[in-house]
Amino acid sequence: MKKIPVITDRELEIMEVVWQNGSLPAQEIAAYFLQPEHGGTSKNTTYTFLNRLVKKGALSREEPGFVCKARFTREQVQRSVGQSFLDKVYHGSLSGMVAQFVDGHISAQE
């Protein structure tokens, strides 16, 4: 299996749009993020993120039309991001993360 690259928050937002649509021309992705309710990001900035995702291997670029398609499923990326967070913040300890999350969030009755 291919190694899943590190993906930034903004790149995850782009991946989500691609996952929801299966594949999508870069032009449509840029138009989506140009809308104020989706960040109002310039076309050039969105294309920069798309090119980074292609370079990282997270998206494939098909011609004609710079059609973007995810090379990993949402679940694969979620698992990778979750493991990275767990490793970075909790030194890989799932029980440590759960214990800290539960502390103060669950009443004695629960």
Side-chain angles (χ1 to χ4, degrees), residues 6-22:
V6 174
I7 298 175
T8 68
D9 290 346
R10 187 57 163 176
E11 290 169 345
L12 277 173
E13 291 175 19
I14 291 170
M15 293 293 292
E16 187 61 42
V17 170
V18 175
W19 286 321
Q20 289 174 6
N21 292 280

Side-chain angles (χ1 to χ4, degrees), residues 10 13-14 29-36 38-47 49:
R10 187 57 163 176
E13 291 175 19
I14 291 170
I29 297 169
Y32 175 85
F33 285 105
L34 189 58
Q35 298 172 37
H38 298 125
T41 306
S42 77
K43 180 179 176 179
N44 288 344
T45 300
T46 300
Y47 271 84
F49 280 110

Side-chain angles (χ1 to χ4, degrees), residues 31-70:
Y32 175 85
F33 285 105
L34 189 58
Q35 298 172 37
E37 62 270 22
H38 298 125
T41 306
S42 77
K43 180 179 176 179
N44 288 344
T45 300
T46 300
Y47 271 84
T48 298
F49 280 110
L50 288 169
N51 283 314
R52 285 182 191 165
L53 285 164
V54 169
K55 186 175 181 180
K56 288 180 177 185
L59 289 178
S60 65
R61 175 181 178 160
E62 299 172 7
E63 297 298 342
F66 193 162
V67 176
C68 299
K69 186 173 183 178

Side-chain angles (χ1 to χ4, degrees), residues 76-97:
Q76 288 172 312
V77 172
Q78 287 171 333
R79 194 173 310 116
S80 177
V81 169
Q83 186 62 53
S84 176
F85 173 79
L86 187 65
D87 290 344
K88 184 179 356 176
V89 178
Y90 295 96
H91 305 288
S93 172
L94 180 60
S95 60
M97 182 184 78

